[in-house]
Amino acid sequence: MNIQELLPVLFNITWQHLLMICVGVVLIYLAIAKQYEPTLLLPMGFGAILVNIPLSSAITQIDPETGKAVEGALSVFYEAGIANEVFPLLIFIAIGAMIDFGPLFKNPFLLLFGAAAQFGIFFTIIAATTMGFDLKEAASIGIIGAADGPTSIFVSSRFAPDLLGPISVAAYSYMALVPIIQPPVIRLLTSKKERLIRMEGHPKTVSRTALILFPIIVTVIAGIVAPSSIALIGFLMFGNLIRECGVLNKLSLSAQNELASLVTILLGISIASTMTAERFVRLDTLMIIGLGLIAFIFDTFGGVMFAKLVNVFRPEGKKINPMIGACGISAFPMSARVVHNMGQKEDQYNFLLMHAVSSNVGGQIGSVVAGGLILALVPLLLL
Amino acid sequence: MDPFNAALKITAIGMAGIFAFMFIFYISIRLIDKFFPGDEPANKQA
C-alpha cells in the first residue's frame, strides 16, 4: 500500500477545490464576524467545504470500482427538498407567519412601491441576456433583485439549477449589504430638500377580520390571475393566516421558530451541494455576483424614481419622501431601518419608520408576485 | 425569440403585471378596511 492509496484526497485536490474551501471559510467568516445573514451563509459556507474535499461522501460520487453511484447525504437533501422546491415553500410558511400586514392597512398606497422597487429584477434580466445568458438563466439571475432568498432559490431551482449556488450566495450577501448599497444610491437620486420631506402618520387600528381576510383574498386573486404563482404566494399567505387567525398561536410560533430554523439549516447546507468547484469556479459566477449588485441598485432606483413621479401629481403637504420608495424591496426590516436612519440624519424630528415599514411590507409581497410572474412568463416566451 | 427581445417583453409585461397585482391588492385592502374597520367588535376576542 502506497501513500496515494492511503491519502487519495491529497493526490486529487486541485486549486479549484482549494479556492472553494477558501470561499467556504470566507462565507463562515462573514456569517460570524460580520453577521451577514448568518443563518444561511454559515451552513452554505460549511457545506462548500464539505463538498469540495475530493471524494467527499457528503455528495453523490461514482464508485470507480463498480461504476455505480454512491449517494451522499447532501445530494439526497438537495433532491428531496430543493429540486422539488419543498424547502423554499416551507420557508415561505415560516416567513408568512412572521409578517405583519397591519402597516399596509395604515397606508395601503405604499403597496405600490413594492411593485416599483422590483424594477432591478427586470433590468438585470435584460442585462444578463446581453452578457450571453439564456432567458431561463437570465430570469434566475434577475430574481436576485427580489432581495428575497427563498424566491431566488425557488425560481433558480426551477429554471437554472446549475446556477443555484452563486445565485443564492449573491442574494443572501447583498441582502446583508442593504445598509451599504442603498444609501449612496438614494443620495445620488434625491435632493436634500426631498430627503427632508415629512409625511403625516396614519394612527389607526386594523381589525382582526381584515387581517384574516387579506391573505385569503390575495391567494384567490393570485391564483385566478397567475396560477403558476400560487405555490409561492399561497404558502406565504398560509403562514400569515396561521399567524392572524388567532386560534393557532402554537402553530404560528412553531412556524416562526422551529420550522424556520430546521428548514433554514437544511436549505443552506443543501444549496451547498451545488457549490462544487466544477460548477462554481467559472466566469459565470463573477458575472452573477456583479449582476446581483446591479439588481439591488436598480431596485432602489425604481422605488425612488417612482416616488418622485408620484410627487409630481401630489399637492404640497401630501408629498411622499422619495427615500420611502427604496424600501419597496423584500429585505425586511433592514431597508426600512436604513431609510428611517437616513431621514433622521437629515432631520432628527422626521420619523419615517412607519411609512418605511409599510413600503417594506409591500416589497415582501411584490417580490413574491414578481417571482410568480417570472415563473409564468418565461415558459410562455420560450414557446 | 432571441433572449434579449424576450427579456424586454418580460420586463414590459412583468412590471405592468406587478403594478396590476399591487393595485388589485390596494383596492382589496381599501374594501376590506371599509367593511371591517379597526374598531369592529371582532377585536373583543383579543
Side-chain angles (χ1 to χ4, degrees):
Chain A
M1 185 176 287
N2 59 31
I3 185 108
Q4 193 166 348
E5 287 170 325
L6 270 176
L7 291 169
V9 170
L10 288 182
F11 294 88
N12 281 289
I13 203 156
T14 62
W15 67 268
Q16 288 95 336
H17 290 125
L18 292 172
L19 179 64
M20 283 310 297
I21 289 170
C22 290
V23 168
V25 172
V26 169
L27 291 179
I28 292 171
Y29 168 78
L30 291 175
I32 296 172
K34 302 285 182 186
Q35 297 198 1
Y36 288 174
E37 295 288 335
T39 50
L40 254 299
L41 288 190
L42 191 139
M44 283 165 70
F46 195 78
I49 296 173
L50 275 180
V51 301
N52 283 291
I53 293 171
L55 314 175
S56 168
S57 62
I59 51 172
T60 301
Q61 304 274 0
I62 303 296
D63 186 340
E65 288 179 9
T66 62
K68 287 182 179 171
V70 180
E71 285 193 332
L74 292 189
S75 305
V76 173
F77 286 158
Y78 179 86
E79 290 300 324
I82 294 184
N84 56 17
E85 299 155 358
V86 166
F87 287 167
L89 291 178
L90 288 174
I91 284 284
F92 273 117
I93 295 177
I95 294 172
M98 293 176 200
I99 299 178
D100 176 11
F101 287 126
L104 271 185
F105 282 76
K106 292 176 181 164
N107 194 357
F109 182 78
L110 296 179
L111 192 60
L112 295 180
F113 292 104
Q118 309 305 322
F119 177 67
I121 297 175
F122 298 99
F123 183 87
T124 308
I125 293 177
I126 295 172
T129 56
T130 64
M131 294 168 82
F133 289 101
D134 67 34
L135 190 60
K136 283 186 170 182
E137 291 170 340
S140 305
I141 296 166
I143 204 71
I144 294 172
D148 178 348
T151 302
S152 301
I153 295 166
F154 191 86
V155 172
S156 54
S157 64
R158 186 173 295 186
F159 285 158
D162 275 356
L163 303 180
L164 182 59
I167 286 172
S168 305
V169 169
Y172 282 102
S173 302
Y174 290 135
M175 276 161 60
L177 291 173
V178 160
I180 296 167
I181 297 169
Q182 285 205 311
V185 182
I186 294 171
R187 271 194 290 271
L188 193 71
L189 296 171
T190 55
S191 64
K192 187 171 178 64
K193 190 183 167 196
E194 285 174 321
R195 293 196 294 274
L196 285 169
I197 292 174
R198 290 189 182 187
M199 294 169 67
E200 58 187 58
H202 297 266
K204 62 183 270 191
T205 54
V206 182
S207 76
R208 200 173 122 240
T209 310
L211 291 171
I212 290 172
L213 285 175
F214 184 67
I216 299 171
I217 289 173
V218 166
T219 306
V220 172
I221 292 171
I224 291 170
V225 180
S228 55
S229 70
I230 197 75
L232 270 176
I233 295 174
F235 275 69
L236 184 81
M237 294 301 159
F238 171 57
N240 189 253
L241 185 59
I242 290 175
R243 172 199 173 95
E244 300 296 354
C245 70
V247 294
L248 293 174
N249 287 341
K250 203 173 163 189
L251 290 195
S252 172
L253 288 174
S254 297
Q256 291 177 46
N257 298 296
E258 288 83 2
L259 180 68
S261 303
L262 190 63
V263 181
T264 301
I265 291 172
L266 291 172
L267 189 68
I269 204 148
S270 305
I271 289 168
S273 69
T274 67
M275 292 173 67
T276 54
E278 298 77 28
R279 284 182 173 188
F280 208 93
V281 184
R282 299 189 309 198
L283 182 62
D284 286 1
T285 302
L286 288 178
M287 288 159 80
I288 290 168
I289 302 285
L291 286 165
L293 180 60
I294 288 173
F296 270 68
I297 289 171
F298 278 89
D299 279 346
T300 309
F301 172 88
V304 172
M305 295 313 282
F306 180 66
K308 288 168 79 112
L309 178 69
V310 168
N311 278 346
V312 173
F313 303 100
R314 288 203 157 206
E316 210 59 48
K318 292 275 182 192
K319 293 206 184 289
I320 291 170
N321 189 313
M323 293 196 294
I324 296 293
C327 302
I329 60 171
S330 185
F332 182 89
M334 202 181 295
S335 186
R337 275 194 208 137
V338 166
V339 163
H340 175 70
N341 290 340
M342 285 184 75
Q344 293 232 300
K345 264 188 190 168
E346 303 284 347
D347 170 6
Q348 61 173 321
Y349 298 107
N350 193 2
F351 297 97
L352 294 172
L353 188 62
M354 196 178 75
H355 308 287
V357 166
S358 298
S359 174
N360 215 174
V361 173
Q364 289 184 296
I365 300 177
S367 66
V368 179
V369 170
L373 282 171
I374 286 172
L375 287 173
L377 290 173
V378 169
L380 288 178
L381 289 167
L382 286 174
L383 286 176
Chain B
M1 189 183 296
D2 81 284
F4 180 74
N5 281 332
L8 289 177
K9 271 196 173 174
I10 285 182
T11 301
I13 303 171
M15 282 307 291
I18 295 176
F19 270 104
F21 259 108
M22 294 311 225
F23 187 69
I24 295 169
F25 295 158
Y26 165 72
I27 299 291
S28 307
I29 288 177
R30 296 299 294 261
L31 287 174
I32 295 170
D33 206 32
K34 187 180 169 74
F35 289 109
F36 303 99
D39 53 352
E40 65 160 346
N43 275 340
K44 69 186 177 190
Q45 189 173 332

